[in-house]
Amino acid sequence: MSILSRASRSVIALFTLSWALLLAAADMDYGLQPVAIADGTWVLVGRSEDFSTANGGNIVNTGFIVTPAGVLVIDSGPSRAYGEQLKRAIARITDRPVTLVVNTHHHPDHFLGNQAFAPETLAALPGTINGIHTEGGAFNDNMYRLAGDWMAGTEPVAPAKQLTAGPLDLGGHHLELIALDGHTGADLAIFDRSTGVLFAGDLVFNDRAPTTPHANLAAWQKALDRLEGLGFKQLVPGHGPVARDTAPLRQTRAWLSWLDANLRQAAEDGLDMTEVLAIQPPAEFRRLAVVEAEYRRSVGQLYPAYEQQALSRSGRNAR
Amino acid sequence: MTTHRIRGLAALLLASSLAVGAVQAASGDRQADPLDSPRWGDMRKEFFPAKARVVFDSRVKVSAPLTAENALNVPVSVDAGALPDATEVLVFADFNPITRIVRFRPEGAHPGLGFRIKLQQSTPVRAAVKTRDGVWHVGGTWVNTTGGGCTLPSAGSASPEWQKRLGEVSSRVWERKEGGERIRLRIIHPEDTGLAAGVPAFYIQELKLTDEQGAPLLHIEGFEPLAENPVFSVDIPAARTAAGYRVSGRDNNGNAISAVIEK
Ligand SMILES: [Zn+2]
């Protein structure tokens, strides 16, 4: 074998390798496309799917509000790469700095992009900060399993700045921070009175079945009542398309109340968990994305508490 | 029309799976594992004497979710009611670090049991049902999970609360539409596997369910993979229903479990 051919082979190998790396880098592009929905208000709508290596965890809605006083980012996405690409997408639209990044709650797709932003801009409700501290590491590990390479370099970063409920004026936008709970122990909704846009976080899902790993169904339904009373013009749900009416809110409420009634009845009827899993959600919910998987997960997460309540009534110890 | 066709197809599939069940029961030990698990050979050796007749039999129903996100609490129910005379049921999971999950003898209760388990990784979950003729009939299903359920300590082992309530039983009895009764019971117990660092194995080893006169209905031998604060569902045929029931047993540290199950 001649030296020349060996060298040319190495060149080809090198070329192939760098091409592969380029392709891999291109693959990690979320293709984020901010959509303007109101004055200075942009939304990035994720897919109505489960976490996967195909979607890289981009199943979530994030948003930002551009004001003369700076940019407010609402949720940072599922990975470091998402956070960085979100930051670049913002920079393509405005040269104003990001001054505040808010995590609506402590679920991984809403805060794992925090690394991309300056630490002093990160903020959340105290319960959310706590949740990120205690569960962020486990969420991050789980996201690596579910989304794979997209997660490269991602680590959980908890905001230091604690938010309190109440008005917040930012460059002429009169915002209302609303502290609620029910989807998790701390759910922040942001209502922009200037534009009528409500960022509801995961208190509202639209045409995608809600997730319930930390849910308190009664509190969640109360939170929805509060949001419905705000008189918003547009609603940005945590997952699913933006809406101009209360339909997603009512859909979320209908699902939660069916889930609650179904699990209560099942426990009262003495059903084993495998029998509860075999129940088909009613027809009105079948068009919700991932409804079967979410129902199965919700049964696993919530049924034990209903069971316990049904069993405790007549349980008696002989001792 | 589509629904009709699908129903027709389902009926056909059901009919053919019953036929397969019968053929399998006849062909004995040489049949291939329907769950296609590389661990089946080891399971066969570990749980059954070489001379025992072991057949795959679709009449043994094992229900569990195909995907289980919470590996600490995977619901499983076994029903061997389609076999004429089940005397003993052994439930195991090929790929669990502790394969044996539970063994029970229906002594009057319906030959079935609902319970929950911890899984370490995706695995077949199987029930082997021994009939009076000495033949073992094996059914099962794959459960996919991201796992980790067996090497995590229980929530109970970290909390001072459970010690006060250890062995506490809550229970309830339901009348069944199809006749007979269902008993569900939950026992406070950490059910530690011994595989989590620094947490010794601590689990329920024996439970006896009787009617209030003491006539046996079901004997359960428990192993480490049963889930924390285990919940059981047991059905009692109409002929054996009673005014009340009783459960008693012990864990591997000798702590007694004893409770009256009142209606
Ligand atoms: Zn969430």
Side-chain angles (χ1 to χ4, degrees):
Chain A
M1 192 188 295
S2 77
I3 288 168
L4 197 78
S5 78
R6 208 181 294 164
S8 64
R9 262 192 211 189
S10 325
V11 168
I12 290 168
L14 199 69
F15 179 77
T16 314
L17 180 71
S18 48
W19 185 239
L21 283 173
L22 258 174
L23 277 177
D27 279 343
M28 298 298 116
D29 184 357
Y30 286 101
L32 299 182
Q33 299 288 350
V35 176
I37 61 162
D39 181 32
T41 309
W42 302 77
V43 175
L44 301 96
V45 177
R47 294 164 175 274
S48 289
E49 299 172 356
D50 277 330
F51 295 126
S52 73
T53 51
N55 61 39
N58 182 15
I59 65 165
V60 65
N61 297 342
T62 61
F64 57 96
I65 302 173
V66 180
T67 81
V71 180
L72 162 65
V73 176
I74 298 159
D75 285 335
S76 61
S79 65
R80 178 185 192 145
Y82 184 103
E84 282 164 356
Q85 290 171 35
L86 172 59
K87 202 163 96 172
R88 285 202 292 274
I90 295 168
R92 283 197 293 272
I93 287 162
T94 177
D95 47 19
R96 294 191 206 286
V98 171
T99 48
L100 188 61
V101 179
V102 169
N103 301 131
T104 57
H105 64 294
H106 80 293
H107 284 162
D109 43 336
H110 298 263
F111 80 85
L112 282 176
N114 282 2
Q115 267 169 303
F117 298 94
E120 67 275 13
T121 62
L122 304 173
L125 291 172
T128 302
I129 296 172
N130 236 331
I132 294 174
H133 278 300
T134 55
E135 292 186 85
F139 285 159
N140 195 38
D141 292 348
N142 202 35
M143 286 300 293
Y144 272 82
R145 277 197 288 274
L146 297 171
D149 294 344
W150 295 84
M151 299 303 296
T154 306
E155 277 165 37
V157 176
K161 195 189 293 178
Q162 301 197 351
L163 292 173
T164 46
L168 173 73
D169 279 357
L170 192 72
H173 283 253
H174 302 297
L175 306 169
E176 185 76 26
L177 302 183
I178 309 165
L180 298 162
D181 65 307
H183 174 66
T184 67
D187 297 296
L188 181 71
I190 300 171
F191 184 37
D192 186 342
R193 295 189 184 280
S194 309
T195 59
V197 173
L198 171 64
F199 286 88
D202 278 5
L203 289 168
V204 179
F205 283 67
N206 189 9
D207 286 342
R208 188 216 189 269
T211 64
T212 60
H214 300 87
N216 173 331
L217 299 188
W220 192 340
Q221 293 182 75
K222 240 188 255 167
L224 289 172
D225 294 343
R226 174 94 185 273
L227 294 181
E228 193 164 16
L230 289 173
F232 54 80
K233 288 191 193 126
Q234 289 192 81
L235 171 62
V236 183
H239 300 264
V242 177
R244 294 186 167 273
D245 56 22
T246 58
L249 212 146
R250 283 180 282 118
Q251 184 188 65
T252 303
R253 186 191 286 124
W255 171 258
L256 298 178
S257 65
W258 174 74
L259 196 58
D260 178 51
N262 174 53
L263 297 181
R264 193 177 309 279
Q265 188 63 49
E268 274 302 311
D269 290 348
L271 264 53
D272 189 78
M273 203 197 271
T274 53
E275 294 164 333
V276 185
L277 286 168
I279 295 171
Q280 293 293 320
E284 61 172 304
F285 302 119
R286 287 208 198 115
R287 66 192 186 86
L288 301 187
V290 293
V291 66
E292 274 154 36
E294 290 305 346
Y295 175 65
R296 188 187 67 230
R297 285 191 274 261
S298 291
V299 170
Q301 291 150 358
L302 304 174
Y303 193 55
Y306 288 89
E307 242 173 4
Q308 232 169 292
Q309 209 186 339
L311 288 176
S312 62
R313 234 169 264 170
S314 65
R316 288 169 184 80
N317 227 329
R319 277 176 288 181
Chain B
M1 216 165 43
T2 320
T3 329
H4 207 83
R5 215 179 298 145
I6 289 168
R7 262 194 220 135
L9 186 67
L12 197 72
L13 282 173
L14 189 67
S16 63
S17 72
L18 286 177
V20 168
V23 170
Q24 283 178 344
S27 71
D29 231 332
R30 278 160 301 176
Q31 39 179 316
D33 172 18
L35 299 182
D36 198 20
S37 156
R39 291 274 290 148
W40 168 249
D42 294 336
M43 298 296 102
R44 171 70 179 80
K45 260 180 246 153
E46 187 177 340
F47 293 125
F48 313 101
K51 282 187 187 153
R53 259 196 87 203
V54 181
V55 297
F56 295 111
D57 194 326
S58 54
R59 287 175 293 178
V60 177
K61 301 275 177 246
V62 178
S63 308
L66 181 62
T67 306
E69 275 87 1
N70 184 0
L72 286 169
N73 204 7
V74 182
V76 176
S77 72
V78 173
D79 188 354
L83 287 172
D85 46 6
T87 60
E88 183 181 340
V89 181
L90 171 68
V91 182
F92 58 94
D94 297 20
F95 286 98
N96 235 23
I98 300 169
T99 49
R100 223 176 288 243
I101 295 167
V102 67
R103 185 193 293 273
F104 62 93
R105 279 197 317 269
E107 299 167 321
H110 179 81
L113 189 65
F115 50 94
R116 302 219 270 266
I117 65 176
K118 301 182 285 267
L119 291 178
Q120 185 66 12
Q121 62 183 93
S122 298
T123 177
V125 175
R126 308 187 197 250
V129 182
K130 194 179 187 184
T131 42
R132 213 166 294 282
D133 55 9
V135 177
W136 287 95
H137 304 257
V138 180
T141 184
W142 269 95
V143 178
N144 296 306
T145 179
T146 49
C150 278
T151 47
L152 291 170
S154 63
S157 68
S159 129
E161 185 55 26
W162 67 260
Q163 281 176 316
K164 275 182 259 161
R165 300 183 58 197
L166 183 73
E168 190 182 298
V169 177
S170 34
S171 63
R172 190 160 159 186
V173 182
W174 285 264
E175 246 175 68
R176 306 205 78 201
K177 279 187 223 95
E178 50 274 64
E181 289 179 333
R182 165 163 296 183
I183 300 170
R184 302 201 73 212
L185 45 104
R186 176 176 182 266
I187 305 170
I188 303 288
H189 205 286
E191 293 286 324
D192 274 303
T193 58
L195 299 176
V199 184
F202 188 33
Y203 60 98
I204 296 169
Q205 276 185 326
E206 186 184 36
L207 288 173
K208 283 185 266 188
L209 181 72
T210 66
D211 65 19
E212 95 274 61
Q213 308 288 341
L217 289 165
L218 180 70
H219 182 273
I220 298 174
E221 189 184 354
F223 299 97
E224 295 90 328
L226 281 175
E228 180 175 6
N229 300 332
V231 179
F232 297 98
S233 303
V234 181
D235 290 335
I236 308 296
R240 293 299 307 272
T241 56
Y245 302 94
R246 174 171 254 294
V247 64
S248 61
R250 56 174 178 81
D251 64 25
N252 65 325
N253 282 7
N255 298 298
I257 294 157
S258 176
V260 171
I261 300 168
E262 285 179 2
K263 287 195 193 170

